[in-house]
Amino acid sequence: MKCLPIRLALAALLFFIPGTLTANPVSDPTAGLAKGIGMAVVVFALAAEVALTSTVAIWLCRIGHRPPLVIAFALLNGLSYTVFIRMIYPRTGMIVLIELLIWIVEAFGMLVITDRLSDKPLTPKRALAISFAGNLLSFLIGYGV
């Protein structure tokens, strides 16, 4: 389990399967193409973010038991994506504000998670920096979807 964050990102590739199935309905082969590819790219972007942020947090906080941190970061990212991107963004359309909120909420979540799982938790500045880097990565991967 040395490379758990990388394995998580690779496991996210399995989400290309439902994306492909969505993109290939029987009645019209191209009807769900954008939706299927979009779903796959979003999942991959979130997995890449979790892989990056959890790797850096494991390294900085010297966390020996890694699965709880990776799972907690994955849940944090999934929850913030669902709340901010799926629920709030369609109503506001203000992507800069939404990304700012995600950045701050995820940084706070990282502080809480590393405080519970490590003797050397993240500082607020480090949590903000890690959250910014992870969210920038996922934004760039998912941009335009």
Side-chain angles (χ1 to χ4, degrees):
M1 288 284 213
K2 259 187 167 178
C3 301
L4 186 63
I6 294 169
R7 288 181 185 181
L8 177 70
L10 292 175
L13 291 175
L14 294 175
F15 283 94
F16 279 111
I17 295 170
T20 303
L21 293 174
T22 303
N24 196 13
V26 176
S27 61
D28 182 2
T30 60
L33 188 60
K35 185 178 180 183
I37 291 172
M39 178 193 317
V41 170
V42 165
V43 170
F44 186 74
L46 290 175
E49 179 181 348
V50 170
L52 174 72
T53 56
S54 61
T55 300
V56 174
I58 288 167
W59 175 63
L60 288 174
C61 299
R62 297 184 182 120
I63 295 175
H65 192 60
R66 297 170 182 148
L69 180 113
V70 176
I71 291 167
F73 276 24
L75 291 173
L76 175 66
N77 275 277
L79 184 63
S80 68
Y81 172 77
T82 302
V83 170
F84 291 106
I85 300 296
R86 298 303 257 170
M87 296 172 78
I88 298 175
Y89 174 69
R91 293 186 177 136
T92 65
M94 299 190 305
I95 192 69
V96 174
L97 176 64
I98 297 299
E99 286 294 331
L100 180 66
L101 289 172
I102 291 171
W103 174 42
I104 293 168
V105 167
E106 287 184 0
F108 179 75
M110 289 177 189
L111 282 172
V112 172
I113 292 166
T114 58
D115 185 54
R116 292 185 182 266
L117 296 176
S118 174
D119 294 333
K120 186 183 176 194
L122 292 173
T123 63
K125 285 182 184 179
R126 283 184 172 177
L128 284 168
I130 294 168
S131 178
F132 178 78
N135 282 294
L136 180 62
L137 175 66
S138 69
F139 179 79
L140 292 175
I141 291 172
Y143 182 69
V145 173

CSV table of all heavy atoms in Angstrom, one decimal, residues 2 21-22 26 39 45 51 64 69 71 86 92 96 98 100 103 105-106 112 118 121 131 139 141:
chain,number,residue,atom,x,y,z
A,2,LYS,N,2.1,1.2,-0.5
A,2,LYS,CA,3.0,2.3,-0.5
A,2,LYS,C,2.5,3.4,-1.4
A,2,LYS,O,2.6,4.6,-1.0
A,2,LYS,CB,4.4,1.9,-1.0
A,2,LYS,CG,5.4,1.7,0.1
A,2,LYS,CD,6.7,1.5,-0.5
A,2,LYS,CE,7.8,1.6,0.5
A,2,LYS,NZ,9.1,1.3,0.1
A,21,LEU,N,-20.5,3.8,-21.0
A,21,LEU,CA,-21.8,3.2,-21.2
A,21,LEU,C,-22.8,4.3,-21.3
A,21,LEU,O,-23.8,4.2,-22.1
A,21,LEU,CB,-22.2,2.4,-19.9
A,21,LEU,CG,-21.3,1.1,-19.8
A,21,LEU,CD1,-21.7,0.4,-18.4
A,21,LEU,CD2,-21.6,0.2,-20.9
A,22,THR,N,-22.7,5.4,-20.6
A,22,THR,CA,-23.6,6.6,-20.8
A,22,THR,C,-23.5,7.1,-22.2
A,22,THR,O,-24.4,7.6,-22.8
A,22,THR,CB,-23.2,7.6,-19.7
A,22,THR,OG1,-23.3,7.1,-18.4
A,22,THR,CG2,-24.2,8.8,-19.8
A,26,VAL,N,-28.3,2.7,-27.0
A,26,VAL,CA,-28.6,1.9,-28.2
A,26,VAL,C,-29.3,2.7,-29.2
A,26,VAL,O,-29.0,2.5,-30.4
A,26,VAL,CB,-29.5,0.7,-27.7
A,26,VAL,CG1,-30.0,-0.1,-28.9
A,26,VAL,CG2,-28.8,-0.2,-26.7
A,39,MET,N,-18.5,13.0,-17.3
A,39,MET,CA,-18.5,12.2,-16.0
A,39,MET,C,-17.1,11.6,-15.8
A,39,MET,O,-16.6,11.7,-14.7
A,39,MET,CB,-19.6,11.1,-16.1
A,39,MET,CG,-19.6,10.3,-14.8
A,39,MET,SD,-20.6,8.7,-14.9
A,39,MET,CE,-22.0,9.2,-15.8
A,45,ALA,N,-10.5,14.0,-12.6
A,45,ALA,CA,-10.0,15.2,-12.0
A,45,ALA,C,-10.0,15.2,-10.5
A,45,ALA,O,-9.0,15.6,-9.8
A,45,ALA,CB,-10.8,16.4,-12.5
A,51,ALA,N,-5.2,12.4,-5.1
A,51,ALA,CA,-3.8,11.8,-5.1
A,51,ALA,C,-2.8,12.8,-4.8
A,51,ALA,O,-1.9,12.6,-4.0
A,51,ALA,CB,-3.5,11.2,-6.5
A,64,GLY,N,1.8,7.5,9.0
A,64,GLY,CA,2.2,6.1,8.7
A,64,GLY,C,1.0,5.3,8.2
A,64,GLY,O,1.2,4.5,7.3
A,69,LEU,N,-6.5,8.6,5.8
A,69,LEU,CA,-6.3,10.0,5.2
A,69,LEU,C,-6.8,10.1,3.8
A,69,LEU,O,-7.5,11.0,3.4
A,69,LEU,CB,-4.8,10.4,5.3
A,69,LEU,CG,-4.6,11.8,4.8
A,69,LEU,CD1,-4.2,12.8,5.9
A,69,LEU,CD2,-3.6,11.8,3.7
A,71,ILE,N,-8.9,8.2,2.2
A,71,ILE,CA,-10.4,8.0,2.2
A,71,ILE,C,-11.0,9.3,2.7
A,71,ILE,O,-12.0,9.8,2.0
A,71,ILE,CB,-10.8,6.8,3.0
A,71,ILE,CG1,-10.3,5.5,2.4
A,71,ILE,CG2,-12.3,6.8,3.3
A,71,ILE,CD1,-10.4,4.3,3.2
A,86,ARG,N,-22.3,20.8,-8.0
A,86,ARG,CA,-23.6,20.3,-8.5
A,86,ARG,C,-24.8,21.0,-8.0
A,86,ARG,O,-25.8,21.1,-8.7
A,86,ARG,CB,-23.7,18.8,-8.1
A,86,ARG,CG,-22.6,17.9,-8.7
A,86,ARG,CD,-22.5,18.0,-10.2
A,86,ARG,NE,-23.1,16.8,-10.8
A,86,ARG,CZ,-23.4,16.7,-12.0
A,86,ARG,NH1,-23.2,17.6,-12.9
A,86,ARG,NH2,-23.9,15.6,-12.5
A,92,THR,N,-25.9,29.9,-9.2
A,92,THR,CA,-25.2,31.2,-9.2
A,92,THR,C,-24.5,31.5,-10.5
A,92,THR,O,-24.4,32.6,-10.9
A,92,THR,CB,-24.2,31.2,-8.0
A,92,THR,OG1,-23.2,30.3,-8.2
A,92,THR,CG2,-24.9,31.0,-6.7
A,96,VAL,N,-15.7,31.7,-10.0
A,96,VAL,CA,-14.6,32.1,-9.1
A,96,VAL,C,-15.0,32.1,-7.7
A,96,VAL,O,-14.2,31.6,-6.8
A,96,VAL,CB,-14.2,33.6,-9.6
A,96,VAL,CG1,-13.2,34.1,-8.6
A,96,VAL,CG2,-13.7,33.6,-11.0
A,98,ILE,N,-17.3,30.1,-6.3
A,98,ILE,CA,-17.5,28.7,-6.0
A,98,ILE,C,-16.1,28.1,-5.7
A,98,ILE,O,-15.9,27.4,-4.7
A,98,ILE,CB,-18.3,28.0,-7.1
A,98,ILE,CG1,-19.7,28.5,-7.2
A,98,ILE,CG2,-18.3,26.5,-6.8
A,98,ILE,CD1,-20.5,28.4,-6.0
A,100,LEU,N,-13.4,29.6,-4.9
A,100,LEU,CA,-12.8,30.2,-3.6
A,100,LEU,C,-13.4,29.5,-2.4
A,100,LEU,O,-12.7,29.1,-1.5
A,100,LEU,CB,-13.1,31.7,-3.6
A,100,LEU,CG,-12.6,32.4,-2.4
A,100,LEU,CD1,-11.1,32.4,-2.3
A,100,LEU,CD2,-13.1,33.8,-2.4
A,103,TRP,N,-11.9,26.0,-2.1
A,103,TRP,CA,-10.5,26.1,-1.6
A,103,TRP,C,-10.5,26.2,-0.1
A,103,TRP,O,-9.8,25.5,0.6
A,103,TRP,CB,-9.9,27.3,-2.3
A,103,TRP,CG,-8.5,27.6,-1.9
A,103,TRP,CD1,-7.5,26.7,-1.6
A,103,TRP,CD2,-8.0,28.9,-1.7
A,103,TRP,NE1,-6.4,27.4,-1.2
A,103,TRP,CE2,-6.6,28.8,-1.2
A,103,TRP,CE3,-8.5,30.2,-1.8
A,103,TRP,CZ2,-5.8,29.9,-1.0
A,103,TRP,CZ3,-7.7,31.3,-1.5
A,103,TRP,CH2,-6.4,31.1,-1.1
A,105,VAL,N,-13.0,25.7,2.2
A,105,VAL,CA,-13.7,24.6,2.9
A,105,VAL,C,-12.8,23.4,2.9
A,105,VAL,O,-12.6,22.7,4.0
A,105,VAL,CB,-15.0,24.3,2.3
A,105,VAL,CG1,-15.6,23.0,2.8
A,105,VAL,CG2,-16.0,25.4,2.6
A,106,GLU,N,-12.1,23.1,1.8
A,106,GLU,CA,-11.3,21.9,1.7
A,106,GLU,C,-10.0,22.1,2.6
A,106,GLU,O,-9.5,21.2,3.2
A,106,GLU,CB,-10.9,21.5,0.3
A,106,GLU,CG,-12.1,20.9,-0.4
A,106,GLU,CD,-11.8,20.5,-1.8
A,106,GLU,OE1,-10.7,20.6,-2.3
A,106,GLU,OE2,-12.7,19.9,-2.5
A,112,VAL,N,-8.6,19.7,9.9
A,112,VAL,CA,-9.3,18.8,10.8
A,112,VAL,C,-8.8,17.4,10.7
A,112,VAL,O,-8.5,16.7,11.6
A,112,VAL,CB,-10.8,18.9,10.6
A,112,VAL,CG1,-11.6,17.9,11.5
A,112,VAL,CG2,-11.3,20.3,11.0
A,118,SER,N,-2.6,12.8,12.8
A,118,SER,CA,-1.2,13.0,12.8
A,118,SER,C,-0.8,13.7,14.1
A,118,SER,O,-1.5,14.5,14.6
A,118,SER,CB,-0.7,13.7,11.6
A,118,SER,OG,0.7,14.1,11.7
A,121,PRO,N,0.2,17.9,12.6
A,121,PRO,CA,-0.9,18.3,11.6
A,121,PRO,C,-0.4,19.4,10.7
A,121,PRO,O,0.6,20.1,11.0
A,121,PRO,CB,-2.1,18.6,12.5
A,121,PRO,CG,-1.5,19.0,13.8
A,121,PRO,CD,-0.2,18.2,13.9
A,131,SER,N,-4.5,22.8,-0.6
A,131,SER,CA,-5.8,22.8,-1.2
A,131,SER,C,-5.8,23.6,-2.5
A,131,SER,O,-6.5,23.2,-3.5
A,131,SER,CB,-6.8,23.5,-0.2
A,131,SER,OG,-8.1,23.6,-0.7
A,139,PHE,N,-9.2,21.7,-11.4
A,139,PHE,CA,-9.9,22.6,-12.3
A,139,PHE,C,-9.3,22.6,-13.7
A,139,PHE,O,-10.1,22.6,-14.6
A,139,PHE,CB,-9.8,24.1,-11.7
A,139,PHE,CG,-10.4,25.1,-12.5
A,139,PHE,CD1,-11.8,25.3,-12.5
A,139,PHE,CD2,-9.6,25.9,-13.3
A,139,PHE,CE1,-12.3,26.3,-13.2
A,139,PHE,CE2,-10.2,26.9,-14.1
A,139,PHE,CZ,-11.6,27.1,-14.1
A,141,ILE,N,-7.8,20.1,-15.1
A,141,ILE,CA,-8.2,18.8,-15.8
A,141,ILE,C,-9.6,18.9,-16.3
A,141,ILE,O,-10.0,18.5,-17.4
A,141,ILE,CB,-8.0,17.6,-14.9
A,141,ILE,CG1,-6.5,17.4,-14.6
A,141,ILE,CG2,-8.6,16.4,-15.5
A,141,ILE,CD1,-6.2,16.4,-13.6
